[in-house]
Amino acid sequence: MSTSKNDSFQSRATIQVGDRQVALYRLDALTKAGVGDVATLPYSLRILLENLLRHEDGNTVTKADIEALASWDPSATPSEEVAYRPARVLLQDFTGVPAVVDLAAMREAFVEMGGDAADINPLRRSDLVIDHSVQVDTYGTAGAFRKNVEIEYQRNRERYLFLRWGQQAFENLSVVPPGTGIVHQVNLEYLAPVVFSSDEGGVTVAYPDTLVGTDSHTTMINGIGVMGWGVGGIEAEAAQLGQPIPLLIPQVVGFKLTGRLPEGATATDLVLTVVEMLRRKGVVGKFVEFYGDGLDHLSLPDRATIANMAPEYGATMGFFPVDDETLAYLRFSGRAPEQVELVERYCKEQGLFRTADAPEPRFTDTLALDLATVVPSIAGPKRPQDRIALSQSKPAWHKTLGALSGKGAPADEALRSAGAEVTTDKGSFKLANGHVVIAAITSCTNTSNPSVMLAAGLLARKARAKGLNTKPWVKTSLAPGSQVVTEYYKEVDLLADLEALGFHLVGYGCTTCIGNSGPVHEAIAKAVKDNDMVVTSVLSGNRNFEGRISPVVRANYLASPPLVVAYALAGTLDIDFESQPLGQDGDGKDVFLRDIWPSPQEVTECLRQAIKSEMYTERYGQVFDGDDDWRALAVPAGDIYAWDDSSTYIRKPSFFDDIKPEVDPLTDIKGARVMAMLGDSVTTDHISPAGSIAVDSPAGKYLVSKGVEPKDFNSYGSRRGNHEVMMRGTFANIRLRNLLAPGTEGGITRHLPDGAQMTIYDAAMKYAADKVPLVVLAGTEYGTGSSRDWAAKGTYLLGVKAVIAGSFERIHRSNLIGMGVLPLEFAGGQTRESLGLTGEEVYDIEGIAGGLSPRQSLTVRAGDKTFQVTCRLDTPQEVEYYVHGGILRYVLRTKAQAKKAG
């Protein structure tokens, strides 16, 4: 889709693609005009440049914007803002439900402002994949998948009915039903065209596939040459409604890959190494683009694995340009021949196709990795960037256990072996510190990669042949990101081998990686709690933040799928795989990991036998139809949603209740109190409601008051369409440490000035009743992690007017602005500690009332202390959003004004 009214560089042209005439906006028109050196721009910036050419309108995109990007200076500090318009928006159901709820509420508000309900529609293609709701309630049996699906529908019926309504009520919104796969894997294998084409006035216009997604791992699609990244749900909704996304022209870091992976190393080991290197480098807010001859030895799924974890290494994108491997993947995954032809012809015509003899792009900075140096690795216990070479995993565990147990040194033998006797349906055994109680093959990061998935199956086959078994305390699960995975497992009979070790199919969805690991056995959970044990999980995921995987588990480790199986066999982190056996075979002979690890040749041969192109076309042939349960749902009718006041899943949000046609003037923040005082690296998992809902929590008490039994609480994620639940769960993570209430964990604070200790929600309501505004104090990297819009929405609903932090992660900062919460950074190297702030002060934030400009300096008065902060409204558009009280209010007012004027 193009909105170009101007074409200052006469870039529009026509090319022949097969038997079609296709229009495009030529990048080399800039070269001919003597503007910049487009041929040596990073490929990712070339795609962004085409986006500007196609949307030049003299207002949101000007000739000067195009010239600024075409003349990109790699060393320049980002200061030039451009308007990026993605071709489509990708949503998953946890973030997608509140997006559709907001759209439904916007329709009502728009009608009240004199507009038509039907005018509120996604203007960009929007695909919502239901993948975040399935939980591992049942496992280790042949019927686990069916039982988990039944429970999923029971828990989420209201949400699914609402999404069925949204699909028929809104134009340009498609819904991929539950049980199909993980959003990013479905995007990679099916949804992404790589090159779009649209009919505009009878002319076919081709342009690069670009998107934003409401999940931070949207970057997985960078592996196929598509520009895209995760944004907050609020920002995505604005994109759906046709608003451009303001973007500072970024710096681009080049990551040179050479050589090839050695025997024993997997794509998972590679990505954990990349995460570690880039986190050390510091690439937050930057594009990362991969280049070098090492790309010739990486399959497209390997590239997608690396691109997937861009949020973990902090980059906006981890981009791989289109090349011959891309085309081969498109063909094999069942894309139409004419579509693959268009991708090849368009990308080559536009200089977007990587070849060995192409000029090396210019980068802001570079780093390099010889793939031959990658070693088997895991990462943990609570951050993806904390890579541990597998050979050092045992001593690393001893240090971790010592630290988690409050010791100043590595754990001794007595602590390592401390535990309790436990009896379950699998027998009696001693559960000890370090034991692996969850082993999950999960997450789009790895289940999209056939090489590591088949390696897991081959390792299971060899272990089975040796007579090895999973330890009885391990909860095992297999949750692929696509139905194609089980098809190729069945093709070579590896599913039976995995099932023999307890890795039965539990669902097609994110499961353990997002905290939907389900309960561990009651006896195990009780033993852990009663004996203050430190047990572990191992998962093939991308996130292992504290408190995320399971409330029972304090140390979580990321690993490749075959290593997940290996740890299930070992049953503990306290093992040196090189010197200690996994068990004994039928003859009593020790079996080591090296004895059952599949060779690259075995994996390659298995790949050749297992995967067929028709698996993709067959499995995605009726992707939007769903199963019998989905088709049986009665679809509500009407353009306006009929809210059910008794619903505890879907409620009309209060975001638009007091909206006026005109904005109120800005005012300084006066008399604010600190709601929470937090340390460094507080994640959106700490802030946003996620995981299970405790009975004695404010959200649990609310649900009980509405007649919901604890067994039917479901998760916070499933209730994101109910703001009453979500605001009560904001800042309620069990591992959150509020320094204003020392010695506590969870959503606890002190109400000031009386000092009474209570839940953050209860304190916020008391402050609201007294009309006291709130602030949050935080350290560096505030808001890292998933793009959880409720981390901002809940903050807003609790009455927080500003967050003062050492630094912000990109997506969460954007979300705060989108909800009208002011992000402020300590200036001049100051910190909460250096300023001596206690959190008990009364805060005034001055300089807002006079009008705001990007990155303006503001004055904060806290008791007897005065200091400066930088207002992290980085662009004029972000200032405009804040002035309107958030992005959605801005869109509504803009549409209402246009309707009135038109």
Side-chain angles (χ1 to χ4, degrees), residues 15-278:
I15 61 172
Q16 188 76 24
V17 181
D19 59 358
R20 294 179 289 169
Q21 291 282 318
V22 175
L24 77 168
Y25 289 79
R26 299 190 67 100
L27 289 168
D28 60 10
L30 291 160
T31 303
K32 292 174 183 176
V35 179
D37 183 7
V38 177
T40 61
L41 279 179
Y43 288 92
S44 51
L45 291 189
R46 297 179 211 181
I47 293 174
L48 183 59
L49 184 58
E50 187 281 340
N51 197 275
L52 298 186
L53 280 175
R54 185 162 34 89
H55 293 291
E56 184 191 357
D57 59 5
N59 180 23
T60 61
V61 179
T62 65
K63 180 182 179 184
D65 293 333
I66 296 168
E67 290 173 335
L69 181 53
S71 304
W72 178 72
D73 177 1
S75 62
T77 300
S79 60
E80 298 278 351
E81 176 191 336
V82 294
Y84 165 58
R85 285 180 171 86
R88 57 191 178 99
V89 177
L90 186 70
L91 310 103
Q92 38 93 334
D93 57 304
F94 270 18
T95 50
V97 165
V100 180
V101 166
D102 288 350
L103 286 171
M106 286 177 73
R107 274 194 168 181
E108 285 195 43
F110 193 59
V111 169
E112 292 170 4
M113 296 171 77
D116 297 327
D119 287 346
I120 302 294
N121 278 301
L123 298 180
R124 309 286 181 200
R125 175 184 140 186
S126 300
D127 298 302
L128 189 156
V129 181
I130 301 175
D131 67 347
H132 273 51
S133 296
V134 63
Q135 179 171 294
V136 188
D137 290 290
T138 303
Y139 68 99
T141 67
F145 170 67
R146 187 62 238 167
K147 183 62 177 176
N148 288 330
V149 168
E150 289 174 3
I151 296 172
E152 177 185 1
Y153 271 93
Q154 290 167 9
R155 287 181 177 142
N156 298 287
R157 181 177 176 80
E158 287 182 49
R159 298 169 64 242
Y160 292 173
L161 282 169
F162 176 70
L163 290 176
R164 288 294 305 268
W165 169 80
Q167 187 168 25
Q168 63 85 28
F170 293 107
E171 298 176 5
N172 295 325
L173 175 66
S174 65
V175 177
V176 176
T180 304
I182 301 176
V183 57
H184 308 305
Q185 194 161 339
V186 174
N187 192 24
L188 184 76
E189 294 177 352
Y190 178 74
L191 294 173
V194 182
V195 171
F196 252 91
S197 60
S198 60
D199 187 293
E200 299 179 15
V203 177
T204 299
V205 179
Y207 47 94
D209 181 11
T210 55
L211 73 152
V212 292
T214 59
D215 188 281
S216 53
H217 295 100
T218 297
T219 55
M220 184 169 178
I221 205 62
N222 302 159
I224 203 171
V226 172
M227 172 180 280
W229 55 83
V231 297
I234 305 142
E235 198 172 10
E237 290 169 42
Q240 286 180 297
L241 294 168
Q243 292 297 305
I245 294 176
L247 178 70
L248 288 171
I249 297 175
Q251 294 183 330
V252 184
V253 174
F255 198 129
K256 188 172 187 176
L257 299 175
T258 58
R260 62 175 70 214
L261 288 173
E263 184 166 348
T266 68
T268 313
D269 305 317
L270 170 57
V271 73
L272 294 180
T273 303
V274 168
V275 168
E276 179 187 45
M277 291 177 67
L278 285 171

Side-chain angles (χ1 to χ4, degrees), residues 870-902:
T870 301
C871 177
R872 285 300 311 277
L873 304 176
D874 289 355
T875 67
Q877 187 66 68
E878 288 182 344
V879 172
E880 192 72 10
Y881 290 154
Y882 178 75
V883 167
H884 278 264
I887 196 168
L888 298 181
R889 288 173 171 246
Y890 169 83
V891 170
L892 264 183
R893 287 195 181 102
T894 301
K895 278 188 161 294
Q897 289 166 3
K899 181 84 171 178
K900 186 176 180 180

